[in-house]
Amino acid sequence: MMKIVIYPGSFDPITNGHIDLIARGAGLFDKVIVAITQNSSKTAFIHLDDRLALICDALKKFSNVEVKTFNTLLVDFAKKEQARIIIRGLRAVSDFEYEFQLSGMNKKLDANIETLFMTPDEQYSNLSSSLIREIALLGGDISNFVPHNVYQHILKHLKK
Ligand code: ADP
């Protein structure tokens, strides 16, 4: 049976840390579905449609990675995609509490779904989308932290 895994997140924006995890997942499983959540559209840094297009483009070199958006319960989306495994990243101990709660709740919602935690290469352990947003808004250089197409999109849209 095909081992399909879901990697959910808001990816607003996607960072090189996320991509490190996706590459690890793509090496371990038959298919990785990167599942983008809308969150509140009013507070989105990059519009959901643009995020989808940018992430697809940044990940096109991975033949077994698909990118989708979803606005349902994660466990329902996983079931629909015939995935039993959710991948999440752990950068530091500080991620643990929230991730522990989330995985426990998802298990209560659907006992068949497992959450697997992976750590990125340590050069990415201080990277977060929220920090990238803050640095970009203050005019800092984020070119080393996100894929090139995402960097260019952010530069262009911040100038407006
Ligand atoms: P969410 O909005 O659900 O927190 P994010 O898009 O911020 O989603 O992150 C999605 C997943 O990727 C989470 O499991 C998060 O811990 C993980 N993650 C975020 N940044 C990194 C990074 N630099 N390295 C590895 N994993 C990361």
Side-chain angles (χ1 to χ4, degrees), residues 123-144:
Q123 64 178 304
Y124 303 118
S125 58
N126 294 312
L127 261 188
S128 70
S129 299
S130 59
L131 262 185
I132 299 290
R133 291 196 296 269
E134 208 167 315
I135 294 166
L137 287 169
L138 294 171
D141 181 5
I142 57 162
S143 60
N144 288 326

Side-chain angles (χ1 to χ4, degrees), residues 11 14 34 36 50-60 67:
F11 305 107
I14 193 165
V34 176
I36 313 168
D50 291 338
R51 238 183 296 155
L52 175 65
L54 289 165
I55 294 172
C56 277
D57 195 44
L59 298 176
K60 62 175 184 251
V67 186

Side-chain angles (χ1 to χ4, degrees), residues 2 4 6 35 55 60 66 70 75 101 113 134:
M2 278 256 285
I4 303 169
I6 305 268
I55 294 172
K60 62 175 184 251
E66 284 177 17
F70 73 107
V75 291
Q101 196 180 9
I113 306 273
E134 208 167 315

Side-chain angles (χ1 to χ4, degrees), residues 7-13 15-18 20-21 37 39 87-91 95 98-99 102 118-120 124-129:
Y7 180 39
S10 33
F11 305 107
D12 191 20
T15 70
N16 293 336
H18 292 129
D20 180 86
L21 240 66
T37 56
N39 283 353
I87 286 179
R88 294 287 289 179
L90 285 179
R91 288 161 291 187
D95 280 337
Y98 174 67
E99 294 294 339
L102 198 66
M118 296 202 293
T119 52
Y124 303 118
S125 58
N126 294 312
L127 261 188
S128 70
S129 299

